[in-house]
Amino acid sequence: MSGTKRRSAGPQADDLRFMKIALRLSRRGLGLTEPNPMVGAVAVKDGRLLATGFHRCFGAPHAECMALEDLAVAGATLYLTLEPCGHFGKTPPCVDLIIARKIRRVVAAMADPNPLVNGSGFARLQAAGIETRVGLCREQAERSNRHYLTFMRTGLPYVAIHAGLSLDGKMTDKAGRSRWITSPELRRCAHGLRGEFSAILAGRNTILADDPHLTLREPGWGGKQLLRVVLDSGNSLPHDLNIFKDQERSPLVIFSSLDAGERKKRTARHFFVPADDQGLSLPAVLGRLAEMGIASLLVEGGGRVIDSFVRQGLFDELVLFHSGRLVGGRDAVQPFCSGIEDLAQAPQLADCHWSHFASGSIMRGYRRCSPD
Ligand code: AOF
Ligand code: ZN
């Protein structure tokens, strides 16, 4: 893209306009770049947009490389959604390319918490005499890259809990059936949601009751591999279930208890972790997934598994799909059945966003945006 010129509305307004373009570009890598970040880059001179780039997928060139590869004009301003790298990784340092292309000014949304970068990118730009502005649209950039930031800062995957609920908050009817609480329209959205994550998790009861594939079937995610994670404490799931199929496209990881009577591995990646009467140790599960480079996890159920994640405070986001049905009944499963004794201890969500559909609504709320 090049040659777009609009009258300048002054340097500050121009900065905002071009940073928003960089942020929009960065999101084209949604679900495809992990465990690396989504990054957008826009080069501009005299109000004219000269070049753009974004990180397409894991292993592809960095956004800065894509934008600056063919840039022939000196003295441009470069808008970046993340601090540029100054280290040799899969690609040479982007800072070197920025200096070589004679960029005059860099406007970045945020610093990169990667210990290999962490301020050193900005320091090298400044040492080369390049003016830098940091922090423009920081909140939006942090929200966009929340998986990457959580993974970098905590060493554990970002965890989102997904539940399909009746209007009165039930995941199942009185008999424990969850098919189908929500409409086909909302279920399609729920399937699409999987693509945003690196892995999807379900417990043994859900696998037995619903025999799901847990695969990524919605169009638009190319050949993306989604890791499927199953918690099966006793290591006793029958082998003819759908979850054991299609492992090339969607590899299967199983976690069982160290105390399981049966210790035979059912897949190449079958791990045995500590457990107590509440179930498998979720910190051990998350730690093992992090070691495998999984930066984000979507927990899909069922009620007991979701309850464990909520009770232990091991989640960053809730995505609730609400149908227009009333189900009722004390025995119907709900997402946080152990509950809290005292309202003051209730997990609190911030920034809840609702999207409304003819057949229901979707709520996304965050426990924390950028953990320290
Ligand atoms: C990206 N894409 O556009 C930028 C990144 O694995 P490597 O060698 O490609 O390096 C990944 C690190 O590079 C990443 O964690 C981040 O710190 C920095 N910047 N990474 O994948 C990009 N700009
Ligand atoms: Zn780079």
Side-chain angles (χ1 to χ4, degrees), residues 39 61-65 83-87 89 91-95 98 112 117:
V39 185
H62 289 188
E64 299 90 326
C65 289
E83 176 180 6
C85 67
H87 67 284
T91 50
C94 290
V95 166
I98 294 171
D112 183 349
V117 185

Side-chain angles (χ1 to χ4, degrees), residues 81 119 132 145 176 319 322 331 370:
T81 59
T132 56
N145 255 333
V319 192
H322 280 274
D331 300 330
S370 48

